[in-house]
Amino acid sequence: MQSWRRKSLWLALSASWLLILLRVFPVLRLAEPARRQAGGPQGWPRWLDAELLQSFSQPGELLEYGPQAPRGGRCYREACFDASRCRGGSLKVFVYSAVGPISETPRKVLTSIEGSRYHTASAAEACLLVLVLSPDTPAGECHPALPQWDGGKNHLVLSLHPTPCLRIFQLGQAMVAEASPTVDTFRPGFDVALPLLPEAHPLRGGALGQLQQHSPLPGVALIAVAEERGGWRLARTNFSACPWDGRCEQDHGPKQTHPRATLPNATFCLIPGHSPDALHFLQALQAGCIPVLLSPRWELPFSEVIDWTKAAIVADERLPLQVLAALQEMPLTRVLALRQQAQFLWDAYFSSIEKVIHTTLEIIQDRISGASAHPSLLWNSPPGALLALSTFSTSPSDFPFYHLQQGSRPLGRFSALIWVGAPGQPPLKLIQAVAGAQHCAQILVLWSSKKPPPPRWPETAVPLTVLDGHRKRTKFCVMREGRGTTLLSQASDRFLPHSAIDTDAILSLDAHSSLSTSEVDFAFTVWQSFPERMVGFLTWSHFWDEAQGGWGYTGERTNEFSMVLTSAAFYHRYYHTLFTHSLPKALRTLADESPPCVDVLMNFLVAAVTKLPPIKVPYGPWHQEARPPPLAPGGPRFRAEPQPAAQDCLNQMAAGFGHMPLVSSRLRLDPVLFKDPVSVLRKKYRSLEKP
């Protein structure tokens, strides 16, 4: 009898614990992204506890989840896309001209494609042909006559906003890039899911993320709920209410946000799963608010490459109490990781129309490349796949910004690239100083001067190679404080990805630069610890000029700086590839036409990629001071008559990037015992302190 009672008591306790676990266990872990298979639609997410969730639903509630007929039949990548048209595995994109009047967003799309490195003006050599649908297109004009249509093969029909044309368009074998497609009509591995963008989304640059709090703090709202009117409402987390369901007992308290507020100020953002709510999803990413998707009925944007489990949460709207309990009990470290990843994804892929379009094209390029495409780490880690070109490498350890994450270090040698652009004597003294550096592997002289190079060069302990830098050059006349006129030739050819460079580190030098061996050795040691940054000797600083209403710069010696001159600077060779293949054509043209802009453009590029400032190292005062070319009036002691193109260089580049990427800093790294009143014999870099 006692044995039976003990068994009954044990069963009762077990049942009680089971009920407790079912109530408070974080149900957010019960959902995971479905495995993608090209050839058929699959819902997202796939619930692991489908049998359990059925019991929480009334008959007929799940009918809206029923599958719909997918578009285009059983079309998939191998059957409906001819990769043989992509010569050498390279994606070339031709975009059809707009038919009739179009709205602002389709016009921005056309501009983004035409400004990308994929664009070609010839439909015959194109691997992909893009048709942009406008939401303003009348239903009778949804089928334009396209001579290259061929049943839609190798075509992409692109629509950033809902349009009636997409419902009646005869797609055939064409791919579809659509904003927030439903999970039942989306074809994984063939179509591309786009974000639903607001009408006023910027063409390039875009607003920065608004993350201010990295974890829940006293006085900061825990949950914001998306409202149908487009705003956000802060909700209480008491267990007597589910804030997104009108059938639950409501106790929201006073509204703490205005209905017109566009960005929430909370830790978690509850977003219903209907397609019109997809716009709230993008707002949550920008605000650094963790999106909590309640049974989403649409395909998440760029789900083919983005791991959304690192930035968003998928929950079941039919289990409100468990969802709220799980959000409250989430560890702060997990909250921080989710918020930071949401901010990274916003900045890398969603903050502008240009990034959305380039991400779409990069996904299609990865499909064509196959095994040589970006690995998942490059898509889901800063700075993102758009800035980690697969044409350079597919290994994260080859890029400057993944060394710390991979636990690796760049190779312990550097290549000195000396640019000779103006007529004058060969930089023999500079070559000898650099060749004596401990870690110098080779010296490359890029000869771009009209004067022929000398037939003989000095003997050095490292290989010395002379590269022909002759390209079409534009002369630029500069007036410098009564010193006369100096002719500068085009300097952007120094940033070409020269195949002769066989080290990760590049020491960029001008023929007129003056450095000692100790300065080179120490600067390289600093760069090895910061391989993603530029490490230089001479600095500039940018500022906002209220009187002129634009950006200016100064070369005055101050504690604060934001740029280093590439006439004497270390950086990773990958930035040559980015400079040549990633920058917009307009910016490269500006650098070609205005040589003083080249220094600024390289600093803009590195700052935009890393979100970090350069690093300054000591530069001896006995060297001849190199003043920067007059881009704009820089200070009370620097007066010049700059050329119009050079004067507005910073402003044109800020407009080209869509924002000002430069970051100011006061960090300067000096060697140990530098300037300390001790014996010079105790110092490693003795020549840095010449009397």
Side-chain angles (χ1 to χ4, degrees):
M1 188 69 177
Q2 291 181 351
S3 174
W4 181 85
R5 289 181 178 178
R6 284 196 296 269
K7 291 181 179 179
S8 300
L9 181 60
W10 183 84
L11 290 174
L13 290 175
S14 300
S16 301
W17 278 109
L18 180 60
L19 291 175
I20 293 174
L21 289 175
L22 287 176
R23 178 179 176 84
V24 302
F25 186 82
V27 296
L28 310 182
R29 297 181 180 179
L30 299 180
E32 66 173 15
R35 297 287 182 182
R36 295 294 179 193
Q37 294 182 359
Q42 297 184 14
W44 200 105
R46 173 171 59 86
W47 299 105
L48 302 182
D49 58 343
E51 294 80 6
L52 173 64
L53 297 182
Q54 291 281 351
S55 63
F56 286 86
S57 305
Q58 299 299 325
E61 281 189 359
L62 301 180
L63 294 179
E64 59 180 329
Y65 296 90
Q68 303 175 17
R71 59 167 68 100
R74 306 293 295 179
C75 206
Y76 55 95
R77 188 188 317 169
E78 290 78 7
C80 302
F81 189 88
D82 183 9
S84 64
R85 295 182 57 175
C86 308
R87 300 178 180 87
S90 177
L91 178 66
K92 291 296 182 182
V93 179
F94 173 82
V95 56
Y96 291 105
S97 301
V99 179
I102 60 173
S103 58
E104 184 65 21
T105 299
R107 186 177 293 108
K108 292 179 180 178
V109 172
L110 297 176
T111 303
S112 300
I113 298 178
E114 292 171 353
S116 70
R117 66 180 185 274
Y118 301 108
H119 179 256
T120 177
S122 172
E125 68 177 20
C127 170
L128 180 70
L129 297 94
V130 179
L131 174 63
V132 181
L133 295 182
S134 173
D136 303 329
T137 303
E141 301 179 7
C142 289
H143 297 276
L146 304 175
Q148 297 88 7
W149 180 248
D150 189 23
K153 178 167 287 190
N154 284 60
H155 276 70
L156 176 68
V157 179
L158 192 149
S159 175
L160 280 181
H161 294 98
T163 172
C165 280
L166 200 56
R167 301 176 185 174
I168 62 177
F169 196 91
Q170 299 298 324
L171 294 171
Q173 297 180 337
M175 294 183 289
V176 176
E178 178 188 3
S180 305
T182 62
V183 294
D184 297 311
T185 60
F186 181 77
R187 296 168 292 183
F190 190 69
D191 292 338
V192 180
L194 303 181
L196 182 59
L197 302 177
E199 291 289 345
H201 210 58
L203 171 61
R204 59 177 57 94
L208 300 177
Q210 302 297 314
L211 179 59
Q212 297 180 353
Q213 310 292 347
H214 292 296
S215 59
L217 296 176
V220 176
L222 180 67
I223 293 177
V225 182
E227 291 191 319
E228 295 181 358
R229 297 189 301 272
W232 294 86
R233 167 175 50 83
L234 302 184
R236 295 177 181 176
T237 57
N238 57 312
F239 293 132
S240 64
C242 55
W244 62 84
D245 194 338
R247 294 172 297 180
C248 295
E249 178 185 352
Q250 296 296 314
D251 184 19
H252 303 315
K255 292 184 178 180
Q256 300 181 34
T257 59
H258 299 289
R260 296 183 180 179
T262 57
L263 296 181
N265 183 21
T267 302
F268 298 99
C269 287
L270 301 181
I271 303 173
H274 301 282
S275 294
D277 298 308
L279 187 59
H280 290 100
F281 178 69
L282 213 58
Q283 295 173 353
L285 290 180
Q286 182 181 0
C289 184
I290 302 172
V292 181
L293 305 172
L294 303 172
S295 304
R297 280 75 148 178
W298 77 87
E299 186 75 14
L300 294 186
F302 305 136
S303 55
E304 182 176 339
V305 294
I306 294 180
D307 184 1
W308 285 109
T309 61
K310 296 181 179 180
I313 297 171
V314 177
D316 195 323
E317 61 185 353
R318 296 165 292 177
L319 300 176
L321 303 185
Q322 288 87 337
V323 171
L324 295 177
L327 296 181
Q328 286 184 319
E329 297 172 6
M330 183 174 293
L332 298 185
T333 53
R334 172 70 172 159
V335 171
L336 173 60
L338 289 169
R339 300 190 76 176
Q340 289 179 332
Q341 186 70 4
Q343 290 284 270
F344 154 64
L345 293 176
W346 161 262
D347 179 71
Y349 305 119
F350 302 110
S351 60
S352 68
I353 291 179
E354 187 175 71
K355 291 179 180 178
V356 171
I357 298 303
H358 289 185
T359 303
T360 303
L361 300 180
E362 196 70 29
I363 290 175
I364 299 176
Q365 173 67 77
D366 274 11
R367 295 175 183 175
I368 298 171
S369 302
S372 60
H374 293 97
S376 178
L377 175 64
L378 299 186
W379 278 106
N380 294 280
S381 299
L386 296 185
L387 295 172
L389 303 184
S390 58
T391 54
F392 177 79
S393 176
T394 57
S395 174
S397 60
D398 291 335
F399 294 94
F401 20 81
Y402 291 115
H403 284 294
L404 181 61
Q405 189 171 354
Q406 295 289 307
S408 61
R409 288 176 61 88
L411 298 178
R413 308 278 281 174
F414 71 85
S415 300
L417 182 62
I418 304 176
W419 180 71
V420 181
Q425 294 297 323
L428 303 181
K429 185 177 180 181
L430 177 63
I431 290 175
Q432 292 175 347
V434 174
Q438 179 181 357
H439 303 284
C440 183
Q442 59 178 165
I443 297 177
L444 305 173
V445 178
L446 185 61
W447 194 270
S448 298
S449 174
K450 297 178 65 176
K451 182 180 179 181
R456 299 185 61 182
W457 293 85
E459 294 291 334
T460 58
V462 297
L464 188 149
T465 305
V466 179
L467 304 178
D468 184 8
H470 287 87
R471 294 195 302 154
K472 182 181 178 181
R473 295 188 296 272
T474 303
K475 292 186 177 181
F476 183 73
C477 185
V478 180
M479 299 295 296
R480 292 195 183 182
E481 302 185 57
R483 298 181 184 176
T485 302
T486 303
L487 293 178
L488 302 177
S489 60
Q490 180 174 303
S492 60
D493 54 356
R494 76 168 71 182
F495 299 133
L496 292 174
H498 300 284
S499 58
I501 301 175
D502 56 10
T503 61
D504 289 337
I506 294 177
L507 172 58
S508 176
L509 296 167
D510 282 351
H512 58 76
S513 300
S514 178
L515 289 175
S516 67
T517 302
S518 293
E519 288 171 331
V520 173
D521 282 335
F522 176 70
F524 178 70
T525 303
V526 172
W527 179 87
Q528 284 186 297
S529 299
F530 305 93
E532 74 281 8
R533 302 205 207 184
M534 297 181 69
V535 176
F537 300 88
L538 293 173
T539 59
W540 296 345
S541 180
H542 76 290
F543 62 90
W544 179 258
D545 190 340
E546 291 287 352
Q548 300 293 331
W551 295 101
Y553 96 111
T554 177
E556 299 293 332
R557 288 180 175 270
T558 59
N559 290 331
E560 190 170 80
F561 61 91
S562 56
M563 294 178 281
V564 295
L565 274 67
T566 58
S567 58
F570 278 99
Y571 53 81
H572 198 282
R573 69 186 177 98
Y574 174 62
Y575 292 124
H576 279 200
T577 301
L578 270 184
F579 188 96
T580 304
H581 300 294
S582 180
L583 285 174
K585 297 176 183 177
L587 293 182
R588 295 200 304 270
T589 302
L590 174 63
D592 289 341
E593 295 176 350
S594 180
C597 293
V598 174
D599 266 311
V600 180
L601 185 54
M602 177 57 83
N603 279 272
F604 266 58
L605 174 64
V606 178
V609 172
T610 63
K611 309 295 188 298
L612 295 170
I615 294 177
K616 177 177 172 56
V617 289
Y619 185 62
W622 54 88
H623 297 304
Q624 182 179 1
E625 183 177 358
R627 288 187 179 273
L631 303 183
R637 293 191 302 150
F638 185 70
R639 290 290 181 262
E641 298 296 334
Q643 299 294 319
Q647 184 175 4
D648 199 35
C649 183
L650 264 69
N651 293 288
Q652 292 185 58
M653 292 193 178
F657 277 82
H659 68 290
M660 170 53 73
L662 296 178
V663 182
S664 297
S665 174
R666 296 187 177 183
L667 174 65
R668 167 177 158 163
L669 296 183
D670 297 332
V672 176
L673 301 180
F674 182 70
K675 296 295 185 182
D676 284 1
V678 297
S679 172
V680 176
L681 298 178
R682 296 175 57 188
K683 300 182 180 183
K684 182 177 180 180
Y685 303 97
R686 304 172 186 174
S687 63
L688 292 184
E689 298 185 52
K690 290 184 178 180

